[in-house]
Amino acid sequence: SDGVGDGVLMIGTDVTDLKDAERKLIQSERLAAIGQMVTGLAHESRNALQRARGCLDLLELDVEAESGQLELVHRTQSALDELQRLYDEVRNYAAPLKLDYCPCDLEQLCRETWHQVQEAHHHPQVELKLNLPNGWPPCECDHARIQQVLRNIFENAMHVSPDHGRIALSAREVWLDGEPCLEIRIRDEGPGLSEDDCVRIFEPFYTTKTKGTGLGLAISRRIVEAHGGTLVASAGSKNGPSGPGVEIVIRLPQRRPRSDVGGRLPGRPPSALQP
């Protein structure tokens, strides 16, 4: 009555979920547009790439006795393979993610994937040092997708490893939100990354390498989150003997998420699995 207020009533609305939903909707629309564009581009380019490979195969027969010319043919073939891989990476990132769950021995999968990467890159000087528990429990996951995740991480670690370097892989069983989970840690001895880069390397098209699409780790995180797990990176100790290095941590539920049956959207992990 005297014009002086006795207090202030403030009403707030938490719009975090709304903003998060808007961000995901925009991201989904962007991915859909990218997917349509790249699918059309890859389709139209496939015939051209196949014709180029066919011509190179014929040329390889003609210059078989000329080592210098044959080397140029092989380099051109390698460039075409790299171009096809780039198309496939972008298309795979934008495409819908469907998981084919089955019982999987992650210890065997880690060993198999490492041998594949080592054979493909011809880098025997880099050693994989395993520190694994006796008898890993079986895990329900998509075998091919998780192998893709491990391959991306191993290839990145091998790329930054010095000669005669070591990549350390350790694992343990943890419990998150009452559910059993396998935690896999992979550490390299490379030059390391800043804390900002450790977050940004999972962003689409962001890369610290001189070539590539920057989609490998983005696809890997999407796969792990679709399983209900998490994938994070952290900088190593700056006092390490070979540089700070980077540690990648995979947390993967041992069983198919119960919410997956109810139609949980791929790529959205349960809150309890957040690092």
Side-chain angles (χ1 to χ4, degrees):
S1 59
D2 57 2
V4 179
D6 294 326
V8 178
L9 174 63
M10 301 181 67
I11 300 176
T13 302
D14 188 350
V15 296
T16 303
D17 291 341
L18 177 61
K19 292 296 183 182
D20 186 54
E22 290 176 350
R23 180 185 60 80
K24 289 182 178 179
L25 179 60
I26 294 173
Q27 178 73 357
S28 298
E29 292 175 348
R30 183 181 297 117
L31 289 178
I34 293 174
Q36 292 177 357
M37 178 191 67
V38 173
T39 300
L41 181 61
H43 177 75
E44 296 298 328
S45 302
R46 186 179 296 114
N47 292 335
L49 289 173
Q50 289 175 350
R51 289 198 305 271
R53 286 197 180 97
C55 293
L56 285 172
D57 290 340
L58 294 175
L59 184 60
E60 184 177 9
L61 297 176
D62 292 338
V63 300
E64 191 172 4
E66 302 179 28
S67 60
Q69 302 299 325
L70 191 60
E71 174 64 21
L72 292 176
V73 171
H74 290 164
R75 289 169 63 181
T76 306
Q77 289 173 331
S78 177
L80 288 177
D81 291 340
E82 177 69 11
L83 180 60
Q84 184 64 56
R85 186 188 65 81
L86 295 177
Y87 276 137
D88 291 340
E89 275 196 2
V90 177
R91 187 174 66 250
N92 289 337
Y93 181 75
L97 186 61
K98 297 180 180 179
L99 300 180
D100 183 15
Y101 282 94
C102 64
C104 178
D105 184 342
L106 283 181
E107 178 180 359
Q108 181 181 358
L109 185 60
C110 288
R111 296 180 186 274
E112 289 178 357
T113 307
W114 171 252
H115 288 310
Q116 292 175 6
V117 172
Q118 207 171 29
E119 290 175 359
H121 292 270
H122 307 290
H123 203 338
Q125 296 90 346
V126 179
E127 175 190 3
L128 179 66
K129 182 176 177 59
L130 299 175
N131 180 18
L132 306 175
N134 293 325
W136 282 25
C139 177
E140 276 191 277
C141 66
D142 187 314
H143 182 280
R145 295 288 190 176
I146 296 302
Q147 186 172 51
Q148 182 181 358
V149 172
L150 293 171
R151 186 183 301 113
N152 284 332
I153 296 173
F154 283 150
E155 287 179 346
N156 286 340
M158 181 175 288
H159 177 77
V160 299
S161 293
D163 289 339
H164 307 289
R166 293 193 305 179
I167 299 172
L169 186 150
S170 61
R172 63 172 181 162
E173 186 176 4
V174 297
W175 289 81
L176 295 172
D177 197 25
E179 295 291 335
C181 177
L182 290 178
E183 181 182 83
I184 303 174
R185 293 178 175 267
I186 303 173
R187 177 185 290 271
D188 62 61
E189 294 181 339
L193 297 172
S194 66
E195 292 184 1
D196 182 59
D197 282 337
C198 284
V199 175
R200 297 197 62 194
I201 57 174
F202 297 104
E203 295 178 3
F205 307 110
Y206 181 82
T207 179
T208 58
K209 295 188 291 187
T210 56
K211 64 178 181 177
T213 59
L215 286 173
L217 288 177
I219 294 173
S220 297
R221 170 173 275 186
R222 185 167 175 239
I223 291 172
V224 173
E225 289 184 347
H227 281 80
T230 60
L231 178 62
V232 297
S234 61
S237 171
K238 295 184 178 180
N239 298 323
S242 304
V246 173
E247 184 175 64
I248 303 291
V249 182
I250 307 170
R251 291 172 182 164
L252 196 65
Q254 293 180 25
R255 295 191 292 266
R256 179 193 306 214
R258 290 190 297 268
S259 56
D260 184 74
V261 179
R264 177 178 55 82
L265 292 175
R268 183 178 182 180
S271 58
L273 290 175
Q274 294 291 345

